[in-house]
Amino acid sequence: MTRIIALSGSLRSGSWNTRLARALAERAPGDCEVEVVTPAGIPLYDGDLESKEGIPSAVEALKDRIASADGLVLVTPEYNQGVPGVMKNTIDWLSRPPADISRVFGGRPVALCGATPGGAGTRSAQHALLPTLRALGAQVWPGKTLYLSRAAKVFDDQGAVIDEDIDKGLVDFIEGFHRFAAGE
Ligand code: FNR
């Protein structure tokens, strides 16, 4: 069984990115389990907080989940053509302390995707994550891109995917990344 963590970079209850993460999880092949997580409970990074209280328990728990998984999907929203602070803050906490970076990110297969209600599909945010992932030593999946635009036309109110072409694209994406994460 291959285990993949899908981290949505949004805290919003109606988040398109969390819906996208769930849609990928639902389409994972039988020998692949995708666990959807969000940054809920993770505070703003503060070096004083880290010095006084150490790594927050929500961060430690997420670090352990990623470290024990075969792959990580970052499902990022896009704000002002960049990575939303909530997503970057989460990655920054996950990189603490530096001695743990290789356990969490080193050689870790990472796929990038994201959703927007407009036309951009998070292309800029995904590209902006690349230097960070390189700095952390992750292995970015070069297989497929997933820039999901016009999200309101893709999902219904229950989060089901109503666009057949997108449905097939999501299956291809998670099947392809599953093979990469499994080392095939
Ligand atoms: C946005 N949004 C946005 N969309 C986009 O395609 N490119 C952008 O640069 C921006 N910029 C931006 C800035 C700020 C501050 C906000 C709040 C929003 C719209 C954004 O894609 C939309 O709010 C999504 O719904 C956010 O993702 P979730 O929360 O639905 O997952």
Side-chain angles (χ1 to χ4, degrees):
M1 179 67 79
T2 307
R3 282 193 55 248
I4 291 171
I5 304 294
L7 172 61
S8 166
S10 175
L11 294 165
R12 236 164 48 80
S13 54
S15 162
W16 298 116
N17 287 279
T18 305
R19 284 186 215 194
L20 172 56
R22 290 194 189 119
L24 290 170
E26 286 162 9
R27 285 158 183 78
D31 54 348
C32 175
E33 184 184 270
V34 177
E35 183 186 356
V36 176
V37 296
T38 75
I42 295 183
L44 278 178
Y45 179 77
D46 174 351
D48 292 341
L49 173 74
E50 184 183 21
S51 300
K52 282 190 214 132
E53 298 176 25
I55 308 296
S57 57
V59 175
E60 278 300 358
L62 186 52
K63 282 169 60 181
D64 289 344
R65 273 153 127 159
I66 294 170
S68 66
D70 299 290
L72 172 66
V73 182
L74 295 178
V75 190
T76 186
E78 178 173 301
Y79 287 175
N80 299 311
Q81 299 191 9
V83 184
V86 168
M87 179 59 118
K88 183 63 164 54
N89 179 69
T90 304
I91 294 171
D92 292 339
W93 263 124
L94 290 171
S95 73
R96 303 297 297 171
D100 274 2
I101 290 176
S102 70
R103 180 173 76 90
V104 177
F105 288 105
R108 177 91 37 227
V110 176
L112 290 168
C113 62
T116 56
T122 74
R123 187 179 296 259
S124 299
Q126 291 185 44
H127 289 192
L129 279 168
L130 292 175
T132 300
L133 292 170
R134 191 181 305 129
L136 296 173
Q139 201 187 348
V140 178
W141 181 46
K144 284 197 187 302
T145 54
L146 178 43
Y147 306 122
L148 194 79
S149 57
R150 314 273 174 230
K153 292 196 161 88
V154 172
F155 298 101
D156 69 12
D157 289 345
Q158 277 69 50
V161 176
I162 51 179
D163 182 306
E164 272 183 33
D165 290 339
I166 302 275
D167 193 342
K168 184 174 179 315
L170 298 183
V171 170
D172 288 348
F173 185 89
I174 195 62
E175 286 187 354
F177 182 60
H178 158 246
R179 286 194 296 275
F180 182 72
E184 288 174 18

